Amino acid sequence: MADFDQELDASGLNCPLPILRAKKTLAQMDSGKVLRIIATDPGSVKDFEAFAKQTGNELLASGEEGGKYTFLIKKA
């Protein structure tokens, strides 16, 4: 996966907590910075796609490996 500026580990958290934590973390970041999120909730895949569309932030990449889902979101 690409480079990122900050990482958020939301492992073990269920919807909507990974989204809420990501929103809070992104609010503290500068525009253009990239947040890497790690989650274990399978529902987070659709959640982060919708989150990116609703907030205007860019979902650069997403993937799954060994039950862990990773997302790269670039702050608008």
Side-chain angles (χ1 to χ4, degrees), residues 25-62:
T25 303
L26 282 165
Q28 299 167 357
M29 294 173 66
D30 293 330
S31 182
K33 298 290 185 182
V34 177
L35 175 63
R36 179 178 189 240
I37 303 138
I38 302 167
T40 51
D41 180 5
S44 62
V45 175
K46 288 190 183 221
D47 291 346
F48 277 107
E49 288 172 2
F51 172 76
K53 285 179 186 166
Q54 290 172 355
T55 60
N57 296 306
E58 186 180 354
L59 181 61
L60 299 174
S62 64

Side-chain angles (χ1 to χ4, degrees), residues 7-13 18 21 25 35-40 68:
E7 185 172 78
L8 170 66
D9 189 351
S11 298
L13 300 177
R21 298 261 171 100
T25 303
L35 175 63
R36 179 178 189 240
I37 303 138
I38 302 167
T40 51
K68 289 203 179 230

Side-chain angles (χ1 to χ4, degrees), residues 1-4 36-37 60-64 68-72:
M1 258 191 191
D3 291 336
F4 54 92
R36 179 178 189 240
I37 303 138
L60 299 174
S62 64
E64 185 270 333
K68 289 203 179 230
Y69 301 87
T70 54
F71 307 92
L72 288 178

